[in-house]
Amino acid sequence: NASHGDHGHDHGGPDPHVWLSVPRAKKLVTAISAALATADPAQKAAVETNAGKVQLELDALHGEIGKKIAGFKKKSIVTFHGSFNYFAADYGLRVVAVIEPDPGKQPSAAHRRDVLQALDGKPVGALFTEPQLDARPAQVLAKEASLPLKELDPLGGGPGRDSYAALMRFNVEQLASVLA
């Protein structure tokens, strides 16, 4: 939603990409485990034990990501669509522009000009695509802005991104390659 980045990206309600923030993913684990324990009271102890293990793993991942990002020299990013706003907010990054505010819909010439203007004078190391969406709008803007094109993945599931932690580490490494 517009409160998570000033780029007009709207999914018709709250930003659904909450899992891309580890602190917010921890809240999801709490809510899911409570619902599972309520649905199957006989398994409540097992659910709570497993949720506790996941929370500890997420705490470690959050610390790892925070430490890595704290060392970045640049803090501004340009994302393909509005999927990394929670991540940016929770890790001290700033989304200065979004390439394709409406996923699957080519950005207008006016929007491309707005993105290029938003980049002016900002320490942005690259533009980012997403593997699930057509990269052509980002390719055009990257060429116009003389910036490299990298990839952030909001969903994972592919090689090297087959777990939540692996996905988050992949994204941090992509950011580090141009911001550190």
Side-chain angles (χ1 to χ4, degrees):
N1 91 26
S3 68
H4 293 298
D6 194 20
H7 50 73
H9 179 70
D10 185 5
H11 287 281
D15 183 348
H17 304 94
V18 66
W19 67 89
L20 292 172
S21 156
V22 178
R24 295 167 201 250
K26 286 185 64 178
K27 291 178 182 177
L28 292 175
V29 170
T30 299
I32 291 167
S33 64
L36 288 171
T38 299
D40 189 356
Q43 296 298 317
K44 182 178 181 179
V47 167
E48 289 175 350
T49 298
N50 288 332
K53 289 177 186 175
V54 171
Q55 294 286 15
L56 290 174
E57 291 169 4
L58 291 176
D59 285 339
L61 180 63
H62 178 57
E64 175 187 329
I65 290 170
K67 184 177 179 183
K68 182 111 182 177
I69 291 176
F72 288 2
K73 294 179 181 98
K74 299 174 185 173
K75 301 287 184 176
S76 297
I77 61 174
V78 177
T79 59
F80 194 74
H81 90 283
S83 54
F84 284 84
N85 294 314
Y86 291 124
F87 179 92
D90 290 346
Y91 290 106
L93 299 176
R94 182 169 181 257
V95 177
V96 296
V98 172
I99 296 166
E100 194 174 270
D102 299 310
K105 183 178 175 190
Q106 291 285 332
S108 68
H111 180 74
R112 287 195 309 271
R113 282 192 304 273
D114 290 346
V115 170
L116 291 170
Q117 185 176 15
L119 295 173
D120 191 32
K122 303 281 188 321
V124 174
L127 303 182
F128 293 94
T129 63
E130 293 180 10
Q132 297 85 11
L133 298 169
D134 182 359
R136 285 178 289 186
Q139 291 165 344
V140 169
L141 278 167
K143 185 175 181 181
E144 289 178 20
S146 298
L147 288 169
L149 200 56
K150 293 288 192 169
E151 182 178 83
L152 293 175
D153 187 349
L155 300 177
R161 298 174 234 174
D162 56 355
S163 73
Y164 179 73
L167 173 65
M168 297 303 288
R169 287 183 181 112
F170 168 83
N171 288 324
V172 171
E173 287 306 316
Q174 288 291 96
L175 291 165
S177 72
V178 294
L179 300 178

